[in-house]
Amino acid sequence: DAKTTQPTSMDCAEGRAANLPCNHSTISGNEYVYWYRQIHSQGPQYIIHGLKNNETNEMASLIITEDRKSSTLILPHATLRDTAVYYCIVRVNSRDDKIIFGKGTRLHILP
Amino acid sequence: EADIYQTPRYLVIGTGKKITLECSQTMGHDKMYWYQQDPGMELHLIHYSYGVNSTEKGDLSSESTVSRIRTEHFPLTLESARPSHTSQYLCASSGSGAWTGNTIYFGEGSWLTVV
């Protein structure tokens, strides 16, 4: 079973910031938080990942709570092309980790 | 851009036929994965490999088999296709060890229809 819980779906107005929450209350100290998205039926695309500190790249920002039990992916200026299913996963960066995706959040960007 | 390739992209085949879905990556990744996904549904891990000669079953039981004879190649085979095998199959790979080396990269997927 996936170790994360996410809302099934969310709406966001175009041009606004999209904030996608993820709970991972059983995360262990050596597990990273990863975010991926899947547009239509393409292969999932990597967005960002982090361990403890907040991270930012050209696509998004990742805010991880101090206790690491939850995180938020922020798309600062959502566009229609950001409509996708967003997956939050936790994993250990070890040789033998298998990567399990949950149901993700279906994000609808509204014009 | 990820260098991971799947063939065929689309395949329609009759019941009982043997099929092999090919997956190759040129990134030198040790870890490779096969996921199965029906339209609008979640991704299910069916097979994975930590390296050459290593194969493991995933969380979703599958009648398919895999092999890993070379690092770059991870083919999936169905000995006798059935309509219940109709689905999208996604191959992925990942490095190991370093902070930036563990992103998982996906191929474009293979759509299999068994009639």
Side-chain angles (χ1 to χ4, degrees):
Chain A
D1 291 334
K3 300 180 190 177
T4 63
T5 52
Q6 301 176 250
T8 303
S9 67
M10 292 182 63
D11 292 339
C12 179
E14 189 178 15
R16 305 298 293 269
N19 297 294
L20 292 92
C22 179
N23 284 324
H24 29 81
S25 57
T26 60
I27 192 170
S28 57
N30 60 348
E31 286 184 311
Y32 291 78
V33 180
Y34 280 77
W35 283 84
Y36 290 83
R37 73 179 182 185
Q38 188 175 25
I39 295 173
H40 197 43
S41 291
Q42 298 174 19
Q45 173 193 25
Y46 165 80
I47 301 172
I48 198 166
H49 71 296
L51 182 64
K52 294 185 206 178
N53 301 321
N54 299 336
E55 302 287 343
T56 295
N57 63 19
E58 65 278 4
M59 288 182 69
S61 294
L62 173 61
I63 308 297
I64 302 174
T65 58
E66 193 168 340
D67 63 7
R68 303 210 321 123
K69 293 186 178 182
S70 66
S71 61
T72 301
L73 178 75
I74 301 172
L75 307 177
H77 304 287
T79 70
L80 296 176
R81 287 178 294 181
D82 292 322
T83 293
V85 178
Y86 287 76
Y87 298 98
C88 166
I89 63 172
V90 294
R91 58 180 288 217
V92 176
N93 285 340
S94 67
R95 179 184 178 274
D96 57 353
D97 70 307
K98 58 180 183 180
I99 302 167
I100 306 297
F101 287 78
K103 292 182 169 58
T105 296
R106 191 169 294 275
L107 177 66
H108 300 276
I109 305 300
L110 307 174
Chain B
E1 287 293 320
D3 295 321
I4 179 164
Y5 309 100
Q6 290 185 241
T7 58
R9 290 290 314 283
Y10 303 93
L11 178 64
V12 180
I13 199 165
T15 297
K17 298 290 186 184
K18 177 180 178 179
I19 61 147
T20 297
L21 304 180
E22 302 286 351
C23 177
S24 295
Q25 51 94 5
T26 57
M27 297 173 281
H29 286 165
D30 290 330
K31 294 185 278 191
M32 296 189 74
Y33 312 84
W34 276 104
Y35 292 84
Q36 183 176 345
Q37 186 178 38
D38 293 331
M41 305 299 284
E42 61 188 285
L43 283 155
H44 291 287
L45 180 67
I46 52 173
H47 298 285
Y48 58 107
S49 166
Y50 303 138
V52 171
N53 294 325
S54 142
T55 60
E56 303 285 343
K57 294 279 191 185
D59 285 16
L60 179 69
S61 176
S62 173
E63 293 169 343
S64 59
T65 59
V66 291
S67 62
R68 191 86 183 276
I69 298 172
R70 302 197 318 263
T71 297
E72 63 271 21
H73 198 212
F74 191 42
L76 180 145
T77 298
L78 276 165
E79 290 293 334
S80 179
R82 295 207 303 267
S84 61
H85 296 140
T86 295
S87 190
Q88 184 185 30
Y89 294 84
L90 287 152
C91 181
S93 73
S94 172
S96 58
W99 166 260
T100 58
N102 288 289
T103 301
I104 182 170
Y105 295 98
F106 281 83
E108 292 186 322
S110 293
W111 285 96
L112 173 64
T113 302
V114 184
V115 297

